[in-house]
Amino acid sequence: MSLRLFVSRDAGAIAVGADEVALALVQAAATRGVAIEIVRTGSRGMYWLEPLVEVATPQGRIAFGPVTEADVPSLLDALASNTPHLLRLGATDEIPWLKRQTRLTFARCGVIDPRSLDDYRAHGGYKGFERAVSLGPDAILNEVTASGLRGRGGAGFPTGIKWKTVAQAKADRKFIVCNADEGDSGTFADRMIMEGDPFLVIEGMTIAGLTVGATEGYIYIRSEYPHAVEAMNAAIAAAKRGGYLGDKIGGSTSSFDLEVRVGAGAYVCGEETSLLESLEGRRGIVRAKPPLPAHHGLFGKPTVINNVLSFAAAPFILAEGAKAYADFGMGRSRGTMPIQLAGNIRHGGLFETAFGATLGELVDDIGGGTFTGRPVRAVQVGGPLGAYFPRALFDTPFDYEAFAARDGLIGHGGIVVFDDSVDMRKQARFAMEFCAIESCGKCTPCRIGSTRGVETIEKIINGERVAENLALVEDLCNTMKFGSLCALGGFTPYPVLSALKHFREDFVPAPSTLQAAE
Amino acid sequence: MTAAFEPWNETRGAEIIAEHANQEGATLVILHAIQEAFGYVPEAAIPMVAQALNLSRAEVHGVFTFYHDFRHKPAGRHVLKLCRAEACQAAGGDVLAARAEAKLGVSLGSTTPDHRVTLEPIYCLGLCATAPSAMLDGRLIGRLDQNRLDALVAEAQR
């Protein structure tokens, strides 16, 4: 009987040697005359354990990690003789970090072969689609609305309302657009699901198409994600072969087709109207709203544009019912959020859980603090446009409204951890610099304000008229916040103002420090 | 591994443009395809794209210059991209970027005089839980430290 092994093909696992480990396993097995089969899955999301090697046993999968090429011979010996191994982590499903999660969207990620439509179907894939076909558009809308699902890209707009608006619009063509321009540092959930369970994204978009009467869709993936592009293209081809894309999909009377488009390194294209411009082949210049994309979107037609994770949540909601999803969460944040723990963190990775866990639980308890072993000083939540939170705010529950109440945002769910060596002046400067690099240039507060922001923060760093320049930065931030056309200029003040507010000591050195520096 | 690029050739350029010109909103698709073939987007290609898509040259030039990915001239033989976004900054990326600049004698965003290595910043490879990260000619590297970086720089200089 051959050994069945699982090694991730996720970009994050490949970056730390998963391909080399898979190759070494094949070679070592061949020299020993052991028959093995290696399934290249997505990642389980426990990146400190990658490359993770799992082996199928009658009692379920057993995990080993992190495995290097050098560990491969001893690992095969241990498997052949059924003896203990230093890297043995036990049953994968029993690993506490995984067991504590509520994996609704990421249930299959790391489990199935992302290239296999059969594997997807064998693990409950297309159940949501089948129920959606039997329900019809009105009932689907009711389900999605009742689930409480809100846009997972960051804005948190109710998905059901967005879909309903497009469903009610009259037009000869409508579009479904998936925003996979996941540019926020500290986020990788879109990449993981596209690489680890791409059919889920296709199924979610197909359900949206059925609901609003759209027959064409685009997935706009950033060029920094070549593995995700490859995975989505392979899945689209397989879905077409399997009759799940094209005419009369999945035995229904509806048609739906999909195409991947690749971005070209512009962060602002993650903003939905800029993305639509880019898809149309133009500069990614933000459009003024209204008109909303739901009325006047891609090529001027009614368009559902959602984040990858919003589409990826739809199949569960349809398959298991709105209540099963809405039962998780707190307040107006229903369901689960795939949270991404990143930066200087011991146990970094993807942790999907119901809304409501506190920031402290996520960073200290689940994330295990920093990998440098130094104290956590600041965490940036929600990407480059998210606020920096100090330890004093670690009781904030992960929830759209709770973060907003503390002048922050959860954005796309990324948490970047910094230890006590961080210089918050540098981080504030970088926020402005990044905005200056990535501004589309349409509105003045963002285009000019960001550059003036960099200059003024530099003056503060150089000790020039600090109090005066601090007041100037705060004033500038208010102008950007209220005068910018989109979230790039509008939210860049979040990291800057939060750094100023919570880490004031970095900007205004205490007199004793000044003396010491002289 | 270096991708072998073709030298610019108008006939070949026209073929590539024609292959994609019927797609809706094809400008980016075509610019990507041209760069994939020639390693950059030659200036001569801009009016050809404009002609094929019934756009003005200014419009195509505007698209070409808006996006960071499109190159005005060929890159070095190897392209080393270092992630400079927050998650990698938190994990010690600043020191590593400075080290790479010192080793190669060029700043981020430039090519060594011998044309061997182009060193570029990239804003997030999505490997934020195994930061700091880099990409050498399309190959991903996570958990970068001084030793790994030195090895990468040496490999790029070969």
mmCIF file of all heavy atoms in Angstrom, chain A residues 45-90:
data_model
loop_
_atom_site.group_PDB
_atom_site.id
_atom_site.type_symbol
_atom_site.label_atom_id
_atom_site.label_comp_id
_atom_site.label_asym_id
_atom_site.label_seq_id
_atom_site.Cartn_x
_atom_site.Cartn_y
_atom_site.Cartn_z
ATOM 1 N N GLY A 45 -2.623 27.192 7.057
ATOM 2 C CA GLY A 45 -2.550 28.536 7.624
ATOM 3 C C GLY A 45 -1.662 28.658 8.853
ATOM 4 O O GLY A 45 -1.564 29.718 9.443
ATOM 5 N N MET A 46 -0.991 27.565 9.239
ATOM 6 C CA MET A 46 -0.086 27.627 10.403
ATOM 7 C C MET A 46 1.328 27.794 9.847
ATOM 8 O O MET A 46 2.079 26.825 9.722
ATOM 9 C CB MET A 46 -0.206 26.343 11.221
ATOM 10 C CG MET A 46 -1.626 26.106 11.729
ATOM 11 S SD MET A 46 -1.796 24.558 12.656
ATOM 12 C CE MET A 46 -1.721 23.358 11.331
ATOM 13 N N TYR A 47 1.668 29.050 9.536
ATOM 14 C CA TYR A 47 2.882 29.260 8.747
ATOM 15 C C TYR A 47 4.174 28.984 9.500
ATOM 16 O O TYR A 47 5.198 28.738 8.877
ATOM 17 C CB TYR A 47 2.888 30.669 8.135
ATOM 18 C CG TYR A 47 2.008 30.744 6.914
ATOM 19 C CD1 TYR A 47 0.763 31.345 6.958
ATOM 20 C CD2 TYR A 47 2.425 30.177 5.706
ATOM 21 C CE1 TYR A 47 -0.054 31.395 5.843
ATOM 22 C CE2 TYR A 47 1.621 30.217 4.584
ATOM 23 C CZ TYR A 47 0.375 30.832 4.657
ATOM 24 O OH TYR A 47 -0.421 30.870 3.543
ATOM 25 N N TRP A 48 4.126 29.030 10.843
ATOM 26 C CA TRP A 48 5.373 28.729 11.566
ATOM 27 C C TRP A 48 5.674 27.232 11.509
ATOM 28 O O TRP A 48 6.771 26.808 11.833
ATOM 29 C CB TRP A 48 5.292 29.234 13.012
ATOM 30 C CG TRP A 48 4.456 28.394 13.914
ATOM 31 C CD1 TRP A 48 4.904 27.458 14.808
ATOM 32 C CD2 TRP A 48 3.027 28.382 14.012
ATOM 33 N NE1 TRP A 48 3.835 26.871 15.445
ATOM 34 C CE2 TRP A 48 2.675 27.418 14.978
ATOM 35 C CE3 TRP A 48 1.993 29.090 13.366
ATOM 36 C CZ2 TRP A 48 1.352 27.154 15.323
ATOM 37 C CZ3 TRP A 48 0.671 28.823 13.708
ATOM 38 C CH2 TRP A 48 0.360 27.877 14.668
ATOM 39 N N LEU A 49 4.692 26.437 11.063
ATOM 40 C CA LEU A 49 4.891 24.990 10.935
ATOM 41 C C LEU A 49 5.148 24.576 9.487
ATOM 42 O O LEU A 49 5.313 23.396 9.192
ATOM 43 C CB LEU A 49 3.682 24.229 11.477
ATOM 44 C CG LEU A 49 3.404 24.392 12.977
ATOM 45 C CD1 LEU A 49 2.123 23.668 13.357
ATOM 46 C CD2 LEU A 49 4.583 23.858 13.797
ATOM 47 N N GLU A 50 5.154 25.540 8.564
ATOM 48 C CA GLU A 50 5.428 25.213 7.163
ATOM 49 C C GLU A 50 6.930 25.102 6.947
ATOM 50 O O GLU A 50 7.688 25.870 7.557
ATOM 51 C CB GLU A 50 4.854 26.287 6.233
ATOM 52 C CG GLU A 50 3.335 26.352 6.183
ATOM 53 C CD GLU A 50 2.691 25.199 5.404
ATOM 54 O OE1 GLU A 50 3.428 24.309 4.918
ATOM 55 O OE2 GLU A 50 1.464 25.175 5.299
ATOM 56 N N PRO A 51 7.373 24.210 6.071
ATOM 57 C CA PRO A 51 6.578 23.225 5.346
ATOM 58 C C PRO A 51 6.008 22.137 6.268
ATOM 59 O O PRO A 51 6.763 21.492 6.996
ATOM 60 C CB PRO A 51 7.587 22.607 4.371
ATOM 61 C CG PRO A 51 8.725 23.569 4.300
ATOM 62 C CD PRO A 51 8.772 24.239 5.629
ATOM 63 N N LEU A 52 4.703 22.006 6.184
ATOM 64 C CA LEU A 52 3.980 21.006 6.956
ATOM 65 C C LEU A 52 3.780 19.778 6.065
ATOM 66 O O LEU A 52 3.379 19.919 4.920
ATOM 67 C CB LEU A 52 2.618 21.569 7.371
ATOM 68 C CG LEU A 52 1.759 20.762 8.335
ATOM 69 C CD1 LEU A 52 2.262 20.933 9.765
ATOM 70 C CD2 LEU A 52 0.301 21.213 8.269
ATOM 71 N N VAL A 53 4.100 18.618 6.612
ATOM 72 C CA VAL A 53 3.863 17.378 5.871
ATOM 73 C C VAL A 53 2.821 16.585 6.643
ATOM 74 O O VAL A 53 2.953 16.388 7.846
ATOM 75 C CB VAL A 53 5.163 16.553 5.715
ATOM 76 C CG1 VAL A 53 4.866 15.208 5.046
ATOM 77 C CG2 VAL A 53 6.198 17.322 4.913
ATOM 78 N N GLU A 54 1.775 16.171 5.952
ATOM 79 C CA GLU A 54 0.750 15.360 6.599
ATOM 80 C C GLU A 54 0.724 13.988 5.944
ATOM 81 O O GLU A 54 0.996 13.866 4.749
ATOM 82 C CB GLU A 54 -0.629 16.013 6.451
ATOM 83 C CG GLU A 54 -0.771 17.300 7.236
ATOM 84 C CD GLU A 54 -2.124 17.941 6.979
ATOM 85 O OE1 GLU A 54 -3.112 17.498 7.581
ATOM 86 O OE2 GLU A 54 -2.198 18.862 6.157
ATOM 87 N N VAL A 55 0.397 12.983 6.743
ATOM 88 C CA VAL A 55 0.293 11.637 6.204
ATOM 89 C C VAL A 55 -1.098 11.080 6.531
ATOM 90 O O VAL A 55 -1.611 11.282 7.637
ATOM 91 C CB VAL A 55 1.427 10.724 6.742
ATOM 92 C CG1 VAL A 55 1.439 10.703 8.254
ATOM 93 C CG2 VAL A 55 1.321 9.324 6.175
ATOM 94 N N ALA A 56 -1.679 10.425 5.530
ATOM 95 C CA ALA A 56 -3.017 9.844 5.738
ATOM 96 C C ALA A 56 -2.888 8.552 6.523
ATOM 97 O O ALA A 56 -2.040 7.705 6.205
ATOM 98 C CB ALA A 56 -3.673 9.585 4.390
ATOM 99 N N THR A 57 -3.694 8.411 7.567
ATOM 100 C CA THR A 57 -3.740 7.159 8.326
ATOM 101 C C THR A 57 -5.207 6.791 8.502
ATOM 102 O O THR A 57 -6.076 7.643 8.292
ATOM 103 C CB THR A 57 -3.104 7.307 9.736
ATOM 104 O OG1 THR A 57 -3.997 8.069 10.559
ATOM 105 C CG2 THR A 57 -1.752 7.992 9.691
ATOM 106 N N PRO A 58 -5.481 5.539 8.880
ATOM 107 C CA PRO A 58 -6.895 5.170 9.085
ATOM 108 C C PRO A 58 -7.560 6.056 10.145
ATOM 109 O O PRO A 58 -8.766 6.246 10.133
ATOM 110 C CB PRO A 58 -6.814 3.718 9.558
ATOM 111 C CG PRO A 58 -5.501 3.226 9.044
ATOM 112 C CD PRO A 58 -4.574 4.401 9.041
ATOM 113 N N GLN A 59 -6.758 6.638 11.051
ATOM 114 C CA GLN A 59 -7.329 7.500 12.096
ATOM 115 C C GLN A 59 -7.355 8.973 11.682
ATOM 116 O O GLN A 59 -7.581 9.838 12.522
ATOM 117 C CB GLN A 59 -6.514 7.372 13.390
ATOM 118 C CG GLN A 59 -6.601 6.017 14.074
ATOM 119 C CD GLN A 59 -5.710 4.977 13.400
ATOM 120 O OE1 GLN A 59 -4.592 5.261 12.992
ATOM 121 N NE2 GLN A 59 -6.238 3.766 13.249
ATOM 122 N N GLY A 60 -7.080 9.266 10.445
ATOM 123 C CA GLY A 60 -7.039 10.664 9.997
ATOM 124 C C GLY A 60 -5.611 11.104 9.724
ATOM 125 O O GLY A 60 -4.667 10.312 9.852
ATOM 126 N N ARG A 61 -5.469 12.371 9.365
ATOM 127 C CA ARG A 61 -4.139 12.849 8.990
ATOM 128 C C ARG A 61 -3.275 13.171 10.208
ATOM 129 O O ARG A 61 -3.761 13.753 11.172
ATOM 130 C CB ARG A 61 -4.258 14.095 8.107
ATOM 131 C CG ARG A 61 -4.855 13.775 6.757
ATOM 132 C CD ARG A 61 -4.823 14.992 5.856
ATOM 133 N NE ARG A 61 -5.759 14.786 4.758
ATOM 134 C CZ ARG A 61 -6.041 15.706 3.835
ATOM 135 N NH1 ARG A 61 -5.463 16.889 3.912
ATOM 136 N NH2 ARG A 61 -6.885 15.442 2.871
ATOM 137 N N ILE A 62 -2.010 12.794 10.106
ATOM 138 C CA ILE A 62 -1.026 13.096 11.141
ATOM 139 C C ILE A 62 -0.060 14.123 10.554
ATOM 140 O O ILE A 62 0.390 13.979 9.416
ATOM 141 C CB ILE A 62 -0.244 11.827 11.556
ATOM 142 C CG1 ILE A 62 -1.196 10.716 11.998
ATOM 143 C CG2 ILE A 62 0.774 12.155 12.647
ATOM 144 C CD1 ILE A 62 -1.952 10.990 13.265
ATOM 145 N N ALA A 63 0.261 15.168 11.325
ATOM 146 C CA ALA A 63 1.082 16.257 10.808
ATOM 147 C C ALA A 63 2.503 16.238 11.369
ATOM 148 O O ALA A 63 2.729 15.820 12.519
ATOM 149 C CB ALA A 63 0.423 17.588 11.147
ATOM 150 N N PHE A 64 3.436 16.683 10.542
ATOM 151 C CA PHE A 64 4.830 16.862 10.929
ATOM 152 C C PHE A 64 5.282 18.238 10.445
ATOM 153 O O PHE A 64 4.979 18.632 9.326
ATOM 154 C CB PHE A 64 5.721 15.790 10.268
ATOM 155 C CG PHE A 64 5.381 14.390 10.651
ATOM 156 C CD1 PHE A 64 4.334 13.716 10.022
ATOM 157 C CD2 PHE A 64 6.088 13.731 11.659
ATOM 158 C CE1 PHE A 64 4.006 12.414 10.374
ATOM 159 C CE2 PHE A 64 5.760 12.439 12.026
ATOM 160 C CZ PHE A 64 4.719 11.775 11.385
ATOM 161 N N GLY A 65 5.987 18.966 11.289
ATOM 162 C CA GLY A 65 6.458 20.266 10.802
ATOM 163 C C GLY A 65 7.185 21.067 11.864
ATOM 164 O O GLY A 65 7.066 20.770 13.053
ATOM 165 N N PRO A 66 7.941 22.090 11.479
ATOM 166 C CA PRO A 66 8.291 22.386 10.096
ATOM 167 C C PRO A 66 9.366 21.427 9.590
ATOM 168 O O PRO A 66 10.355 21.188 10.275
ATOM 169 C CB PRO A 66 8.843 23.817 10.187
ATOM 170 C CG PRO A 66 9.323 23.967 11.591
ATOM 171 C CD PRO A 66 8.513 23.047 12.442
ATOM 172 N N VAL A 67 9.140 20.881 8.400
ATOM 173 C CA VAL A 67 10.026 19.860 7.839
ATOM 174 C C VAL A 67 11.012 20.517 6.874
ATOM 175 O O VAL A 67 10.612 21.332 6.043
ATOM 176 C CB VAL A 67 9.199 18.793 7.080
ATOM 177 C CG1 VAL A 67 10.113 17.751 6.456
ATOM 178 C CG2 VAL A 67 8.192 18.137 8.009
ATOM 179 N N THR A 68 12.285 20.193 7.005
ATOM 180 C CA THR A 68 13.275 20.652 6.013
ATOM 181 C C THR A 68 13.678 19.465 5.153
ATOM 182 O O THR A 68 13.346 18.319 5.482
ATOM 183 C CB THR A 68 14.537 21.217 6.699
ATOM 184 O OG1 THR A 68 15.179 20.149 7.406
ATOM 185 C CG2 THR A 68 14.190 22.344 7.673
ATOM 186 N N GLU A 69 14.410 19.745 4.083
ATOM 187 C CA GLU A 69 14.891 18.650 3.225
ATOM 188 C C GLU A 69 15.693 17.641 4.035
ATOM 189 O O GLU A 69 15.602 16.440 3.819
ATOM 190 C CB GLU A 69 15.804 19.213 2.132
ATOM 191 C CG GLU A 69 15.079 19.921 1.017
ATOM 192 C CD GLU A 69 16.067 20.648 0.126
ATOM 193 O OE1 GLU A 69 16.595 20.001 -0.780
ATOM 194 O OE2 GLU A 69 16.312 21.843 0.349
ATOM 195 N N ALA A 70 16.470 18.171 4.993
ATOM 196 C CA ALA A 70 17.341 17.302 5.794
ATOM 197 C C ALA A 70 16.547 16.346 6.683
ATOM 198 O O ALA A 70 17.040 15.277 7.057
ATOM 199 C CB ALA A 70 18.269 18.159 6.649
ATOM 200 N N ASP A 71 15.303 16.729 6.990
ATOM 201 C CA ASP A 71 14.486 15.876 7.857
ATOM 202 C C ASP A 71 13.826 14.725 7.108
ATOM 203 O O ASP A 71 13.271 13.809 7.726
ATOM 204 C CB ASP A 71 13.357 16.708 8.504
ATOM 205 C CG ASP A 71 13.886 17.814 9.392
ATOM 206 O OD1 ASP A 71 14.857 17.555 10.124
ATOM 207 O OD2 ASP A 71 13.335 18.932 9.339
ATOM 208 N N VAL A 72 13.846 14.809 5.775
ATOM 209 C CA VAL A 72 13.052 13.863 4.984
ATOM 210 C C VAL A 72 13.424 12.390 5.224
ATOM 211 O O VAL A 72 12.531 11.573 5.474
ATOM 212 C CB VAL A 72 13.105 14.245 3.481
ATOM 213 C CG1 VAL A 72 12.653 13.115 2.597
ATOM 214 C CG2 VAL A 72 12.230 15.479 3.254
ATOM 215 N N PRO A 73 14.728 12.014 5.199
ATOM 216 C CA PRO A 73 15.046 10.600 5.418
ATOM 217 C C PRO A 73 14.534 10.068 6.762
ATOM 218 O O PRO A 73 13.905 9.006 6.802
ATOM 219 C CB PRO A 73 16.579 10.569 5.364
ATOM 220 C CG PRO A 73 16.952 11.761 4.543
ATOM 221 C CD PRO A 73 15.917 12.803 4.857
ATOM 222 N N SER A 74 14.771 10.828 7.826
ATOM 223 C CA SER A 74 14.328 10.342 9.139
ATOM 224 C C SER A 74 12.810 10.302 9.226
ATOM 225 O O SER A 74 12.226 9.433 9.882
ATOM 226 C CB SER A 74 14.914 11.211 10.258
ATOM 227 O OG SER A 74 14.387 12.520 10.178
ATOM 228 N N LEU A 75 12.173 11.225 8.528
ATOM 229 C CA LEU A 75 10.712 11.250 8.520
ATOM 230 C C LEU A 75 10.166 9.986 7.840
ATOM 231 O O LEU A 75 9.257 9.325 8.355
ATOM 232 C CB LEU A 75 10.212 12.507 7.807
ATOM 233 C CG LEU A 75 8.705 12.682 7.690
ATOM 234 C CD1 LEU A 75 8.073 12.798 9.066
ATOM 235 C CD2 LEU A 75 8.369 13.921 6.876
ATOM 236 N N LEU A 76 10.754 9.634 6.707
ATOM 237 C CA LEU A 76 10.304 8.422 5.997
ATOM 238 C C LEU A 76 10.579 7.166 6.830
ATOM 239 O O LEU A 76 9.758 6.246 6.851
ATOM 240 C CB LEU A 76 10.990 8.319 4.629
ATOM 241 C CG LEU A 76 10.388 9.178 3.508
ATOM 242 C CD1 LEU A 76 11.144 8.961 2.214
ATOM 243 C CD2 LEU A 76 8.905 8.878 3.298
ATOM 244 N N ASP A 77 11.726 7.149 7.516
ATOM 245 C CA ASP A 77 12.031 6.015 8.395
ATOM 246 C C ASP A 77 10.955 5.866 9.466
ATOM 247 O O ASP A 77 10.459 4.772 9.721
ATOM 248 C CB ASP A 77 13.389 6.221 9.089
ATOM 249 C CG ASP A 77 14.549 6.038 8.122
ATOM 250 O OD1 ASP A 77 14.324 5.434 7.052
ATOM 251 O OD2 ASP A 77 15.665 6.518 8.428
ATOM 252 N N ALA A 78 10.624 6.992 10.086
ATOM 253 C CA ALA A 78 9.638 6.958 11.165
ATOM 254 C C ALA A 78 8.281 6.488 10.644
ATOM 255 O O ALA A 78 7.581 5.717 11.307
ATOM 256 C CB ALA A 78 9.515 8.335 11.799
ATOM 257 N N LEU A 79 7.924 6.943 9.441
ATOM 258 C CA LEU A 79 6.633 6.551 8.864
ATOM 259 C C LEU A 79 6.633 5.055 8.539
ATOM 260 O O LEU A 79 5.644 4.362 8.776
ATOM 261 C CB LEU A 79 6.344 7.361 7.603
ATOM 262 C CG LEU A 79 6.026 8.843 7.812
ATOM 263 C CD1 LEU A 79 5.823 9.533 6.467
ATOM 264 C CD2 LEU A 79 4.790 9.018 8.677
ATOM 265 N N ALA A 80 7.781 4.567 7.992
ATOM 266 C CA ALA A 80 7.854 3.154 7.594
ATOM 267 C C ALA A 80 7.798 2.239 8.811
ATOM 268 O O ALA A 80 7.134 1.202 8.795
ATOM 269 C CB ALA A 80 9.130 2.920 6.800
ATOM 270 N N SER A 81 8.468 2.629 9.879
ATOM 271 C CA SER A 81 8.549 1.751 11.050
ATOM 272 C C SER A 81 7.515 2.113 12.111
ATOM 273 O O SER A 81 7.467 1.485 13.168
ATOM 274 C CB SER A 81 9.955 1.827 11.640
ATOM 275 O OG SER A 81 10.234 3.177 11.997
ATOM 276 N N ASN A 82 6.724 3.145 11.807
ATOM 277 C CA ASN A 82 5.691 3.587 12.751
ATOM 278 C C ASN A 82 6.285 3.918 14.123
ATOM 279 O O ASN A 82 5.772 3.522 15.158
ATOM 280 C CB ASN A 82 4.609 2.520 12.867
ATOM 281 C CG ASN A 82 3.282 3.130 13.275
ATOM 282 O OD1 ASN A 82 3.146 4.361 13.299
ATOM 283 N ND2 ASN A 82 2.315 2.296 13.610
ATOM 284 N N THR A 83 7.414 4.631 14.100
ATOM 285 C CA THR A 83 8.061 5.039 15.351
ATOM 286 C C THR A 83 7.963 6.569 15.495
ATOM 287 O O THR A 83 7.706 7.252 14.522
ATOM 288 C CB THR A 83 9.551 4.624 15.355
ATOM 289 O OG1 THR A 83 10.132 5.050 14.108
ATOM 290 C CG2 THR A 83 9.711 3.123 15.513
ATOM 291 N N PRO A 84 8.165 7.081 16.710
ATOM 292 C CA PRO A 84 8.016 8.534 16.924
ATOM 293 C C PRO A 84 9.031 9.361 16.138
ATOM 294 O O PRO A 84 10.094 8.861 15.772
ATOM 295 C CB PRO A 84 8.254 8.699 18.427
ATOM 296 C CG PRO A 84 8.184 7.354 19.022
ATOM 297 C CD PRO A 84 8.517 6.379 17.952
ATOM 298 N N HIS A 85 8.691 10.603 15.880
ATOM 299 C CA HIS A 85 9.614 11.535 15.217
ATOM 300 C C HIS A 85 9.521 12.877 15.922
ATOM 301 O O HIS A 85 8.451 13.293 16.366
ATOM 302 C CB HIS A 85 9.245 11.681 13.736
ATOM 303 C CG HIS A 85 10.282 12.399 12.936
ATOM 304 N ND1 HIS A 85 10.365 13.760 12.889
ATOM 305 C CD2 HIS A 85 11.304 11.927 12.164
ATOM 306 C CE1 HIS A 85 11.384 14.105 12.102
ATOM 307 N NE2 HIS A 85 11.973 13.015 11.657
ATOM 308 N N LEU A 86 10.672 13.528 16.002
ATOM 309 C CA LEU A 86 10.768 14.803 16.721
ATOM 310 C C LEU A 86 9.783 15.853 16.213
ATOM 311 O O LEU A 86 9.294 16.693 16.964
ATOM 312 C CB LEU A 86 12.199 15.334 16.561
ATOM 313 C CG LEU A 86 12.760 16.145 17.720
ATOM 314 C CD1 LEU A 86 12.812 15.301 18.979
ATOM 315 C CD2 LEU A 86 14.159 16.666 17.368
ATOM 316 N N LEU A 87 9.480 15.825 14.926
ATOM 317 C CA LEU A 87 8.628 16.861 14.331
ATOM 318 C C LEU A 87 7.146 16.475 14.329
ATOM 319 O O LEU A 87 6.320 17.190 13.781
ATOM 320 C CB LEU A 87 9.078 17.158 12.897
ATOM 321 C CG LEU A 87 10.501 17.705 12.731
ATOM 322 C CD1 LEU A 87 10.853 17.839 11.256
ATOM 323 C CD2 LEU A 87 10.647 19.062 13.419
ATOM 324 N N ARG A 88 6.831 15.338 14.940
ATOM 325 C CA ARG A 88 5.446 14.865 14.928
ATOM 326 C C ARG A 88 4.566 15.793 15.757
ATOM 327 O O ARG A 88 4.856 16.093 16.911
ATOM 328 C CB ARG A 88 5.370 13.453 15.481
ATOM 329 C CG ARG A 88 4.049 12.759 15.229
ATOM 330 C CD ARG A 88 4.137 11.321 15.787
ATOM 331 N NE ARG A 88 3.018 10.501 15.342
ATOM 332 C CZ ARG A 88 1.830 10.488 15.934
ATOM 333 N NH1 ARG A 88 1.603 11.268 16.983
ATOM 334 N NH2 ARG A 88 0.861 9.710 15.471
ATOM 335 N N LEU A 89 3.495 16.271 15.143
ATOM 336 C CA LEU A 89 2.587 17.204 15.818
ATOM 337 C C LEU A 89 1.278 16.535 16.220
ATOM 338 O O LEU A 89 0.404 17.166 16.808
ATOM 339 C CB LEU A 89 2.274 18.385 14.901
ATOM 340 C CG LEU A 89 3.480 19.213 14.424
ATOM 341 C CD1 LEU A 89 3.112 20.020 13.189
ATOM 342 C CD2 LEU A 89 3.990 20.118 15.523
ATOM 343 N N GLY A 90 1.139 15.261 15.865
ATOM 344 C CA GLY A 90 -0.101 14.540 16.177
ATOM 345 C C GLY A 90 -1.149 14.749 15.096
ATOM 346 O O GLY A 90 -0.844 15.221 14.004
#
